[in-house]
Amino acid sequence: MDYPVKHFDFSCKNQKFNCQLHLTHNHNRNRITLEITTDKIIKIKAHPSVSHQRVLEILDYHKNWIFTNPIFQESHYQYINHEKHLYLRHLYPLKILKITNQAQTIQLIDHHIAITVRENFPSSIYSMLQNWYKFEALEVFSERLSLLKSRIC
């Protein structure tokens, strides 16, 4: 038997977050899972025996992870030099260099994300970063799948 979804707000550092509590008997009694959706909703899955107070304690414990999640930070980005962006659990400052004749690139160099652009517009830097994140994710996923495959076979 699944229960109706409970909606509530969670406040953290003067910001309110929309939450959905999904109680289900299919979920492990000792486990509470948190997920942040692309709609900026914190989705909590838990067994019905978990109290609302315990859910709030878990949210409070993970407030830094919630507050610094890129989904919530995205609207605050200006895509300017020295602004820090999350990549593989670390914050790296942007180093933006305007070029004229060369190809536009993004690389992780010396603990910063180096970006060469023809036009220094936040929208173009945003697009480049999104494409770079997707490419890098495929690389990381491929490496991890190879490791898992070598352990299994």
Side-chain angles (χ1 to χ4, degrees):
M1 173 184 169
D2 282 348
Y3 294 80
V5 176
K6 294 181 183 178
H7 299 271
F8 64 96
D9 289 333
F10 173 70
S11 295
C12 169
K13 299 183 181 181
N14 296 326
Q15 187 173 350
K16 278 189 179 180
F17 299 96
N18 294 324
C19 297
Q20 292 179 350
L21 177 58
H22 298 259
L23 298 175
T24 177
H25 281 288
N26 297 336
H27 208 72
N28 184 328
R29 283 182 189 270
N30 300 322
R31 187 177 175 113
I32 297 174
T33 57
L34 300 177
E35 173 188 346
I36 299 176
T37 68
T38 55
D39 298 333
K40 299 183 178 184
I41 295 172
I42 301 171
K43 191 175 183 180
I44 304 114
K45 291 182 184 175
H47 191 270
S49 63
V50 175
S51 70
H52 189 70
Q53 182 61 36
R54 180 68 181 135
V55 170
L56 292 176
E57 289 170 3
I58 294 294
L59 287 170
D60 190 54
Y61 180 80
H62 291 287
K63 65 185 171 197
N64 288 334
W65 173 77
I66 293 167
F67 190 75
T68 60
N69 191 286
I71 288 174
F72 295 117
Q73 298 301 313
E74 192 171 42
S75 62
H76 300 292
Y77 288 142
Q78 296 176 355
Y79 302 98
I80 58 174
N81 264 324
H82 309 295
E83 181 179 60
K84 293 186 178 183
H85 287 254
L86 193 62
Y87 174 67
L88 294 178
R89 296 177 291 159
H90 298 285
L91 289 171
Y92 295 96
L94 295 181
K95 186 175 182 181
I96 302 168
L97 178 63
K98 189 173 177 184
I99 50 126
T100 53
N101 299 5
Q102 299 168 349
Q104 299 185 126
T105 62
I106 298 182
Q107 297 175 323
L108 189 61
I109 302 173
D110 296 331
H111 304 291
H112 63 270
I113 301 172
I115 304 175
T116 57
V117 292
R118 288 187 198 97
E119 296 294 330
N120 193 355
F121 295 124
S123 59
S124 63
I125 293 171
Y126 168 80
S127 294
M128 286 180 67
L129 273 171
Q130 292 305 308
N131 290 331
W132 181 72
Y133 281 132
K134 288 175 190 174
F135 178 79
E136 291 295 312
L138 287 173
E139 292 290 316
V140 170
F141 296 155
S142 294
E143 285 177 22
R144 291 183 183 174
L145 282 173
S146 294
L147 278 172
L148 287 173
K149 185 178 175 183
S150 66
R151 289 181 187 171
I152 294 170
C153 297

